[in-house]
């Protein structure tokens, strides 16, 4: 059984956008609508795969959406997986600080729409067939470029990257397309910080192209583990369209020769693990960092634009939090982190919160007992960057700087082992009998 639905979640013009720190101002127009979609699947267990054109989802909103879905359907909240596209031309969300102020009215409306689209997909449930496949494609490029002794945000064509798309086709018994779900890792940043138009960026074009290829289908784009992967080409709506069409053509290649079947088993498994956080620095060092942030704000304020002023305020606010942690000598800090697996037949979808490095996906896929495994990041929560253990010695933005937009200390290098072990356990539980 399956059902699919989609809805527009475009915010009102004038909301702050999120993802870049140098915006000249709030949004001043809509280039293309943002969408959320849901795919309900049932074969033994029930699950709902959701996607949304958002930078990320905060845990409070996720709990609210799951609770509403559970109240209105027979799908447990724990069996709902929501993956965001991580568009950097979408509304500010409560999961990222100091890169735009969230609009409270929009967030309330968004929650209602997310729950409603999932409930509608459940209501549309009917007998269905499914097929899954994989095809080569590379929209992204590793962005951790070595410049001298430092790692900078740039281009590293020799670095590890995601080079395939995972795709699922769901159709009615007579072959009419119902939904196409796809997953591929590449930051949605074709349009840069100077853009003030609301947009789904290149994933939006991918959705549009897929729906043109499969008339009547709801297209769902799940962002992969692109914490260290940017889209390979930048700047220009024509570039965003070209990348979207590139992915759509790979989706068609992945699915065109795969026969659909009604045979399936749906299984869901999840586990919340405690990820170790780094201890704050000594109190004297934390206070010195705060003074540097205060001075930077004072010296840079007059020349700063709308977005940079938010960042300057944010740098001070984050340092104040670290001073408080250091003053009470906080240690042994942890972060709750949900790892989730939804299995449909011999396909497993692994959902991981945060800006996860692509190596996680490759390692999870290689160790999975399922015939095909897709790993989606930006799922169910937003916890900041999740680097590999090796990246900590290398440094760089994802390891050293970005944490100030998430309001805590940085994850510890041991995180990688904890997440990979949890994914292995859950895949064994969900897929081991396949």
């Amino acid at each position: 059984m399956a059902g699919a639905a989609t809805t527009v979640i475009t915010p009102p013009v004038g909301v702050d956008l999120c993802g870049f720190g140098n915006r000249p101002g709030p949004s001043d127009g809509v280039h293309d609508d943002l969408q959320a979609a849901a795919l309900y699947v049932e074969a033994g267990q029930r699950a709902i795969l959701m996607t949304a054109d958002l930078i990320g989802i905060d845990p409070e909103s996720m709990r609210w959406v799951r609770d509403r879905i559970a109240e209105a359907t027979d799908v447990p909240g724990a069996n709902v997986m929501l993956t965001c596209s991580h568009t950097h031309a979408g509304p500010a969300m409560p999961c990222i600080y100091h890169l735009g102020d969230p609009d409270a009215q929009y967030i309330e409306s968004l929650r209602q729409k997310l729950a409603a689209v999932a409930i509608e997909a459940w209501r549309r449930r009917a007998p269905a067939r499914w097929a899954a496949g994989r095809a080569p494609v590379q929209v992204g490029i590793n962005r951790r470029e070595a410049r001298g002794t430092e790692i900078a945000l740039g281009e590293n064509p020799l670095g590890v990257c995601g080079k395939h798309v995972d795709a699922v086709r769901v159709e009615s018994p007579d072959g009419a397309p119902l939904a196409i779900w796809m997953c591929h890792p590449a930051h949605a940043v074709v349009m840069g910080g100077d853009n003030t138009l609301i947009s789904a960026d290149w994933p939006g074009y991918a959705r549009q192209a897929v729906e043109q290829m499969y008339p009547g289908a709801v297209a769902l784009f799940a962002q992969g583990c692109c914490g260290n992967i940017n889209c390979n080409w930048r700047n220009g709506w024509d570039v965003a369209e070209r990348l979207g069409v590139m992915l759509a053509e790979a989706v068609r290649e992945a699915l065109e020769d795969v026969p659909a079947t009604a045979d399936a088993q749906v299984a869901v498994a999840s586990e919340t693990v405690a990820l170790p956080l780094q201890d704050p620095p000594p109190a004297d060092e934390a206070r010195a960092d705060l003074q540097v942030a205060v001075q930077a704000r004072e010296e840079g304020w007059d020349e700063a634009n709308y977005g940079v002023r938010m960042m300057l305020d944010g740098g001070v606010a984050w340092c104040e939090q670290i001073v408080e942690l250091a003053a009470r000598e906080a240690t042994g800090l942890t972060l709750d982190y949900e790892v989730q697996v939804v299995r449909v037949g011999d396909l497993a979808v692994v959902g991981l919160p945060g800006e996860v490095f692509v190596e996680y996906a490759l390692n999870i896929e290689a160790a999975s007992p399922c015939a095909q495994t897709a790993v989606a990041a930006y799922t169910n929560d937003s916890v900041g960057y999740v680097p590999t253990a090796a990246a900590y010695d290398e440094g760089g933005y994802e390891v050293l700087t970005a944490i100030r937009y998430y309001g805590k200390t940085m994850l510890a290098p041991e995180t990688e082992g904890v997440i990979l072990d949890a994914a292995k356990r859950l895949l064994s539980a969900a897929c081991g009998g396949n």
Side-chain angles (χ1 to χ4, degrees):
M1 302 283 284
T6 185
T7 189
V8 174
I9 57 169
T10 306
V13 173
V15 303
D16 283 345
L17 302 180
C18 189
F20 292 107
N22 60 339
R23 301 274 187 195
S27 61
D28 56 13
V30 177
H31 180 271
D32 54 281
D33 277 325
L34 309 185
Q35 292 189 355
L39 171 61
Y40 169 82
V41 290
E42 174 188 340
Q45 291 193 40
R46 301 168 176 85
I48 299 178
L49 295 173
M50 301 181 63
T51 58
D53 291 324
L54 298 169
I55 191 82
I57 189 75
D58 60 289
E60 182 179 347
S61 293
M62 192 64 204
R63 284 192 295 270
W64 192 97
V65 170
R66 280 176 159 172
D67 287 347
R68 298 294 86 73
I69 294 171
E71 290 171 0
T73 73
D74 54 5
V75 182
N79 289 20
V80 176
M81 176 187 288
L82 171 58
T83 301
C84 298
S85 70
H86 199 54
T87 176
H88 282 43
M93 292 291 291
C95 55
I96 299 181
Y97 309 126
H98 316 304
L99 294 181
D101 291 329
D103 182 281
Q105 290 185 332
Y106 172 72
I107 300 302
E108 180 180 355
S109 171
L110 172 68
R111 292 175 178 178
Q112 294 171 355
K113 288 183 176 182
L114 291 175
V117 75
I119 294 167
E120 181 61 23
W122 172 80
R123 286 175 177 159
R124 294 181 180 180
R125 64 196 185 279
R129 305 185 308 193
W130 73 283
R134 172 178 288 182
V137 67
Q138 185 177 344
V139 172
I141 186 171
N142 193 297
R143 70 185 198 178
R144 288 172 58 78
E145 179 182 341
R147 297 179 184 171
T149 60
E150 297 183 348
I151 296 292
L153 292 179
E155 294 183 356
N156 176 14
L158 300 180
V160 179
C161 198
K163 298 183 179 182
H164 60 257
V165 62
D166 288 294
V168 180
R169 181 179 78 249
V170 180
E171 60 188 40
S172 64
D174 62 2
L178 297 177
I180 304 291
W181 183 96
M182 53 190 157
C183 182
H184 181 70
H187 255 76
V189 291
V190 170
M191 305 307 296
D194 58 343
N195 171 58
T196 51
L197 297 179
I198 295 166
S199 173
D201 206 273
W202 76 262
Y205 282 105
R207 281 192 292 95
Q208 294 173 24
V210 165
E211 289 179 349
Q212 290 173 1
M213 292 175 179
Y214 297 89
V218 171
L220 300 93
F221 174 81
Q223 183 63 266
C225 294
C226 69
N228 53 343
I229 308 296
N230 271 351
C231 49
N232 201 359
W233 297 270
R234 309 286 292 274
N235 301 319
W237 299 111
D238 58 330
V239 176
E241 183 176 14
R242 178 160 54 89
L243 296 183
V245 171
M246 180 191 303
L247 188 75
E249 290 174 346
V251 168
R252 179 163 55 188
E253 179 183 348
L255 297 174
E256 62 181 353
D257 294 325
V258 184
T261 177
D263 294 331
Q265 179 182 349
V266 172
V268 183
S270 64
E271 180 180 347
T272 298
V273 296
L275 298 185
L277 298 176
Q278 297 179 12
D279 291 341
D284 288 347
E285 182 179 333
R287 287 192 292 269
D289 289 342
L290 174 59
Q291 290 305 311
V292 170
V294 170
Q295 183 176 355
R297 182 173 63 180
E298 292 175 351
E299 294 178 351
W301 191 263
D302 289 343
E303 300 297 323
N305 70 3
Y306 183 84
V308 173
R309 287 185 174 183
M310 286 188 182
M311 292 178 63
L312 292 171
D313 277 339
V316 173
W318 182 76
C319 286
E320 289 173 342
Q321 295 177 43
I322 301 304
V323 165
E324 189 275 330
L325 290 174
R328 58 184 176 90
E329 298 181 344
T331 188
L333 302 171
T334 61
L335 173 73
D336 286 345
Y337 188 89
E338 179 188 11
V339 182
Q340 185 183 29
V341 173
V342 175
R343 169 194 168 190
V344 181
D346 56 4
L347 166 78
V349 179
V350 179
L352 301 177
E355 305 213 40
V356 185
F357 275 31
V358 72
E359 289 89 340
Y360 282 81
L362 301 179
N363 289 331
I364 290 171
E365 291 170 9
S368 174
C370 243
Q372 182 178 348
T373 300
V375 186
Y378 307 93
T379 299
N380 299 334
D381 194 359
S382 182
V383 301
Y385 281 90
V386 185
T388 59
Y392 286 81
D393 289 338
E394 298 170 351
Y397 167 78
E398 302 92 345
V399 176
L400 300 174
T401 307
I403 188 59
R404 65 185 58 213
Y405 306 120
Y406 294 92
K408 58 182 183 299
T409 63
M410 184 59 188
L411 295 167
E414 295 79 14
T415 286
E416 182 177 13
V418 175
I419 294 174
L420 293 180
D421 286 347
K424 183 177 180 179
R425 287 193 298 272
L426 293 170
L427 283 166
S428 179
C431 308
N434 187 48

